[in-house]
Amino acid sequence: ENVPDKHREAIERYRKANKAFLESIGRHDLVARLAEGRTGDVQVGEAVMPYFSRVKHLAKEPVLVYPTLPLWRAWDCGGTPSCVWMQPLGPDRMAGLNIIGSRVAMNAGLEGFILNDVLAFQQKYGLMPRTPGTKAGWGKGPRGGFTYFDVGDPSMLHEGKTVKAEITAALLVNQLLHTAFQPGPVEWAARRESGHSIFQRGGRGDRIAFVQMDPEENDTLIKGFAGRFRYPRTNAGKVTMTIEAAKSVSGIFAQPTDACLYGFARLYPVLDWLRQHNAQAAPRVPRRRPKSFLGA
């Protein structure tokens, strides 16, 4: 409080210079912590999703869930099963995307994860699926609830890869949750490009960004997108930008973020859209006949 004005001005110039330098080299994590005094994650390596922003993509309060719109569960499995609940908005899914919550379990079986974590989350917030009722039309009949779609790592379709050999992870999800699992894209570029694209999209109306994430139910997922899910960088500055390299150094933060990216790629297949656009034939322009023997 007793700092002279000239010193305050010098400190402010120094802060702005530091902020400009850190932004110029892409260290937005340090901008948040050192220049702006905000809580953030120090980035070790190269963030897989550099366009994620806590300011833009974290909702100021718990996100709304609309009973008339389907819910999507996005999965990654293996020894660290993960599930992300999301809800695309609007009839064309283009009004925004709410990430409602996420769960991840370390060194856990898929069956226990579904029974202890997935169902518990849905019961906690009343996100129960719609029940069809009886075929003959008698009894309790159908009950209202949410329509669910499930998408995730294609390896969940392969026997013996993620759960006991006699049943696949996808079949276990189908049996326990009465759903129909859809495999996401195998190609890493498809998931990566969908993530890059939708984190850069602006929001409609009062939405600051296309993606809004619940700030209370996505702790590990938020940290992953904020830089804990990263590509390794050597001391010489070389970055290995493969999904295998990222998972090898990111620990528990890799699974829920990659699960989320499977959902992004299924809902917003940006790479497929780009390929379709590039495959379209260029418009034909009639050649102008030359007016002289020189071709002019």
Side-chain angles (χ1 to χ4, degrees):
E1 294 180 358
N2 298 323
V3 178
D5 290 342
K6 64 177 181 179
H7 290 170
R8 289 180 184 275
E9 293 174 0
I11 292 171
E12 181 62 17
R13 287 197 300 270
Y14 178 75
R15 187 191 67 81
K16 288 182 178 179
N18 272 341
K19 181 178 180 181
F21 171 72
L22 293 171
E23 287 178 339
S24 71
I25 61 174
R27 294 303 304 270
H28 301 288
D29 57 321
L30 295 182
V31 169
R33 291 174 64 89
L34 301 180
E36 298 177 351
R38 291 188 285 110
T39 300
D41 298 285
V42 174
Q43 181 181 316
V44 180
E46 188 73 20
V48 173
M49 288 288 118
Y51 301 108
F52 173 81
S53 165
R54 288 177 180 268
V55 174
K56 291 182 179 179
H57 299 115
L58 295 191
K60 304 303 180 186
E61 55 190 16
V63 298
L64 297 176
V65 184
Y66 300 91
T68 57
L69 297 174
L71 291 177
W72 287 69
R73 284 180 297 232
W75 298 83
D76 198 11
C77 212
T80 310
S82 304
C83 183
V84 180
W85 288 261
M86 56 184 70
Q87 188 173 52
L89 306 181
D92 58 357
R93 305 175 183 169
M94 293 300 179
L97 180 68
N98 285 346
I99 300 179
I100 301 162
S102 53
R103 290 292 184 268
V104 58
M106 191 65 141
N107 193 24
L110 180 58
E111 183 174 359
F113 174 67
I114 292 174
L115 296 176
N116 298 325
D117 295 273
V118 173
L119 291 178
F121 177 84
Q122 293 178 181
Q123 290 168 355
K124 177 180 179 181
Y125 291 103
L127 305 178
M128 302 309 293
R130 187 184 304 276
T131 58
T134 59
K135 293 183 179 179
W138 51 270
K140 292 184 178 180
R143 287 182 297 166
F146 289 89
T147 299
Y148 271 96
F149 295 99
D150 290 84
V151 62
D153 186 345
S155 72
M156 293 173 66
L157 294 169
H158 302 158
E159 292 190 7
K161 289 294 183 69
T162 52
V163 291
K164 53 187 178 180
E166 63 267 24
I167 186 171
T168 66
L171 183 57
L172 191 59
V173 169
N174 290 344
Q175 289 180 350
L176 293 178
L177 297 173
H178 308 289
T179 186
F181 178 84
Q182 308 171 48
V186 173
E187 190 177 8
W188 166 235
R191 307 191 314 268
R192 181 191 64 219
E193 293 306 314
S194 289
H196 286 340
S197 174
I198 69 169
F199 276 133
Q200 293 182 82
R201 294 185 188 181
R204 295 182 181 177
D206 58 354
R207 291 176 72 90
I208 188 173
F210 186 84
V211 175
Q212 291 291 274
M213 189 179 298
D214 190 285
E216 299 178 1
E217 292 292 351
N218 291 290
D219 181 63
T220 304
L221 183 63
I222 291 168
K223 291 176 180 176
F225 279 136
R228 299 286 187 91
F229 185 35
R230 65 191 190 275
Y231 298 119
R233 183 194 289 121
T234 67
N235 291 335
K238 181 181 179 181
V239 178
T240 304
M241 301 181 71
T242 66
I243 183 60
E244 294 80 11
K247 286 192 172 184
S248 71
V249 297
S250 300
I252 196 173
F253 301 102
Q255 270 64 38
T257 45
D258 201 22
C260 193
L261 293 175
Y262 277 114
F264 288 176
R266 186 74 180 192
L267 289 165
Y268 309 100
V270 171
L271 194 61
D272 289 345
W273 295 341
L274 290 173
R275 285 169 175 166
Q276 292 171 9
H277 175 76
N278 292 335
Q280 294 176 359
R284 298 183 63 183
V285 179
R287 291 185 61 186
R288 186 179 61 178
R289 293 183 178 180
K291 297 180 181 179
S292 72
F293 71 93
L294 294 176

